[in-house]
Amino acid sequence: MTAVNTEFAWAALGGDPALTERVSTVVRDGALKARLPVRELARACVATCALAAAELGTRRAGRADVPGVRVDDGAVATAFVSERQLRVDGRAPVTFAPLSRFWRTADGWVRTHANYPHHRERLLSALKLPEDPASVAAALAERSSREIEDAVYGAGGLAVALRTPEEWARHEQAVEVAARPLVERRRPGGGRARRPAALFGSPLLPAAGLRVLDLTRVIAGPVATRTLALLGADVLRVDSPQLPELVDQHADTGFGKRSAKVGLGTDRRTFEELLAAADVVVTGYRPGALDRFGLSPEALAERRPGLVVAQLSAWGAYGPWAERRGFDSLVQVATGIAAVEGSGRQEPGALPAQALDHGTGYLLAAAVLRSLTEQLTDGGARFVRLALARTAGWLLEGRAAGEAGNAVHAGAGAAAYAEAGAAYAGAGAAAYDGPDAWLAERDSELGRLRYALPPVSFAGGPVDWARPPSPWGTDGARWA
């Protein structure tokens, strides 16, 4: 059983165990309340990212002492629902479309995802139904969950049957995922890393002078690259002109970045010019989806020696579901999280945040930062890979570890357990009174924005992004 804490996540990144002593926590009761240890997962992911940033900044500046990292549950809880906190000229965002929800089936529940127009069309095509929630509900109620899952995925849509953790553990994909580490790390062939001119710059912006090519969508990948932008990297998000992004989603995760449209099949020269000067490439498409463009980690490392390649997927790059599309909400349903947060198979629930997305995003940024730190010693390309389903497994493992720990502590006496908890919290836990203390406002080309401040914090580090988000695809396809 694996504990959900900073020490485990830091070890998964190959970090020096002694550095976790630099992390302090402001514990707040009521933050990210759930049956599963969501607050602990969120805290660990952010702390690990902040520690990786502090370490990189220190090493790049040629200093020895890594500054202290402070993690506040309030800041973390607010950032983990940043897409809900966003306001554009006072308007609340649209988060889920009407057909993205749970539906009763003949034998349980299924959850669909239809936020993007092409996913909505494929869902309705697979079901042979009009765009009418009442008609969809009636049709799904007569079919089994697994039948719906297979039919919709077969048509290129997204639907997942509700499973319990035990049912998921027996699934072939779950077995494949569980066999992998939380963070997969390896070194493909390639020469020494290019040393940017700003290598020995300020430790306050650890990623300054580094160029990050952002090929991600939705939440997890963009959260990772949004964090790298906070830390000083020149982040250029590149999208296909044929795959428009949701406006509010792009605004939430676009802070600190620039956004350009480049067709890989139609404007390859521009893309190759961007790649030739990149230090980091982050991808969030299905495993293998970019390989036909020569963008596999191995191909990238060969063409761009010393590159750091970070890859994110929903289900993992292996097993029978490797090529399936997926989102946080669907991974929660498949892995048993929705069953735990609800009442088993009778009534599904959900986490208080898209915690798999956000948590994996901060872990992905941390993996990039640690790779850059390692390159300062011996250069060479780096490849890191994470999956939402593996993060979900960590969360569920933490539940089991917590239950076992509670039993042990109960046997030793409730007073001793309470004393240990108070010691961890330092001066004692404060209350989470809402997000207001961790929200800010600024003007942008999109309008007046209210947004969640970044939760990544270390002594002397940045407290906000240098620039607001650009409208989708309106920046030049070039490095700053």
Side-chain angles (χ1 to χ4, degrees):
M1 292 178 288
T2 302
V4 177
N5 57 33
T6 303
E7 290 76 12
F8 178 80
W10 186 246
L13 294 171
D16 178 359
L19 290 183
T20 58
E21 297 177 2
R22 307 299 296 158
V23 179
S24 62
T25 305
V26 179
V27 178
R28 296 187 186 273
D29 289 336
L32 297 174
K33 293 180 66 174
R35 294 179 179 178
L36 290 165
V38 177
R39 180 182 64 170
E40 289 71 21
L41 179 137
R43 180 194 296 154
C45 293
V46 170
T48 301
C49 184
L51 187 56
E55 179 193 33
L56 176 61
T58 301
R59 302 291 183 254
R60 291 187 72 189
R63 300 183 182 181
D65 295 330
V66 175
V69 168
R70 183 174 182 268
V71 183
D72 191 312
D73 282 348
V76 173
T78 303
F80 265 58
V81 290
S82 62
E83 68 274 11
R84 301 181 205 168
Q85 299 298 344
L86 180 72
R87 297 293 182 272
V88 182
D89 290 332
R91 177 184 59 80
V94 176
T95 52
F96 283 101
L99 296 183
S100 297
R101 47 166 280 195
F102 283 106
W103 306 87
R104 276 195 177 276
T105 65
D107 61 350
W109 295 85
V110 71
R111 178 149 191 167
T112 56
H113 195 288
N115 285 2
Y116 287 98
H118 58 291
H119 291 156
R120 182 178 65 249
E121 292 167 6
R122 292 168 186 171
L123 171 68
L124 295 172
S125 174
L127 300 175
K128 298 179 173 58
L129 291 171
E131 189 174 342
D132 170 39
S135 299
V136 174
L140 296 185
E142 298 178 353
R143 302 172 68 174
S144 73
S145 302
R146 305 292 174 86
E147 177 192 357
I148 296 165
E149 178 181 272
D150 290 342
V152 173
Y153 263 110
L158 295 115
V160 170
L162 177 70
R163 291 171 172 82
T164 65
E166 295 74 22
E167 289 170 332
W168 174 247
R170 295 191 294 268
H171 194 282
E172 186 178 349
Q173 187 64 29
V175 174
E176 290 278 359
V177 171
R180 265 70 177 187
L182 179 64
V183 181
E184 295 181 69
R185 305 160 50 236
R186 60 186 176 86
R187 296 185 58 174
R192 294 185 62 82
R194 179 176 64 88
R195 307 273 179 146
L199 179 61
F200 299 105
S202 167
L204 306 186
L205 288 174
L210 297 169
R211 291 169 170 170
V212 177
L213 192 55
D214 179 1
L215 306 178
T216 69
R217 293 171 67 81
V218 196
I219 297 177
V223 163
T225 51
R226 181 181 70 181
T227 303
L228 297 174
L230 169 75
L231 300 170
D234 178 12
V235 178
L236 179 63
R237 173 166 163 171
V238 172
D239 286 281
S240 166
Q242 282 72 48
L243 285 176
E245 183 59 285
L246 303 176
V247 175
D248 293 336
Q249 190 166 265
H250 178 73
D252 172 53
T253 58
F255 282 87
K257 313 177 195 177
R258 291 175 299 113
S259 171
K261 291 182 285 188
V262 177
L264 292 179
T266 58
D267 194 2
R268 191 54 183 268
R269 179 177 178 179
T270 297
F271 181 82
E272 291 296 331
E273 289 173 350
L274 293 172
L275 178 62
D279 300 290
V280 178
V281 174
V282 184
T283 70
Y285 292 82
R286 287 176 300 135
L290 299 178
D291 289 5
R292 63 192 176 97
F293 297 107
L295 299 180
S296 68
E298 293 76 14
L300 286 169
E302 182 177 345
R303 290 154 59 203
R304 181 76 173 106
L307 191 68
V308 173
V309 181
Q311 187 182 80
L312 170 79
S313 65
W315 307 108
Y318 29 73
W321 284 18
E323 296 184 0
R324 287 196 175 191
R325 298 172 178 85
F327 294 95
D328 181 307
S329 58
L330 301 182
V331 176
Q332 289 188 39
V333 174
T335 59
I337 289 173
V340 172
E341 291 296 330
S343 55
R345 294 181 61 82
Q346 285 68 46
E347 189 79 31
L351 298 178
Q354 300 284 90
L356 305 180
D357 263 334
H358 286 272
T360 307
Y362 288 109
L363 282 178
L364 189 66
V368 169
L369 295 166
R370 285 244 64 249
S371 295
L372 292 167
T373 297
E374 291 175 351
Q375 283 188 334
L376 296 179
T377 301
D378 57 5
R382 295 294 193 281
F383 174 42
V384 295
R385 183 164 62 190
L386 289 90
L388 301 187
R390 184 62 188 87
T391 304
W394 183 34
L395 181 62
L396 289 164
E397 290 163 13
R399 170 203 182 205
E403 289 173 348
N406 288 345
V408 170
H409 287 300
Y417 189 39
E419 182 179 349
Y424 175 76
Y432 178 60
D433 296 324
D436 290 352
W438 298 280
L439 297 175
E441 292 192 9
R442 69 198 302 177
D443 291 320
S444 75
E445 294 181 62
L446 300 170
R448 181 72 176 174
L449 302 180
R450 189 198 78 175
Y451 59 98
L453 288 166
V456 173
S457 176
F458 57 94
V463 297
D464 201 347
W465 290 276
R467 55 176 290 160
S470 301
W472 181 76
T474 59
D475 292 300
R478 57 183 177 274
W479 296 111

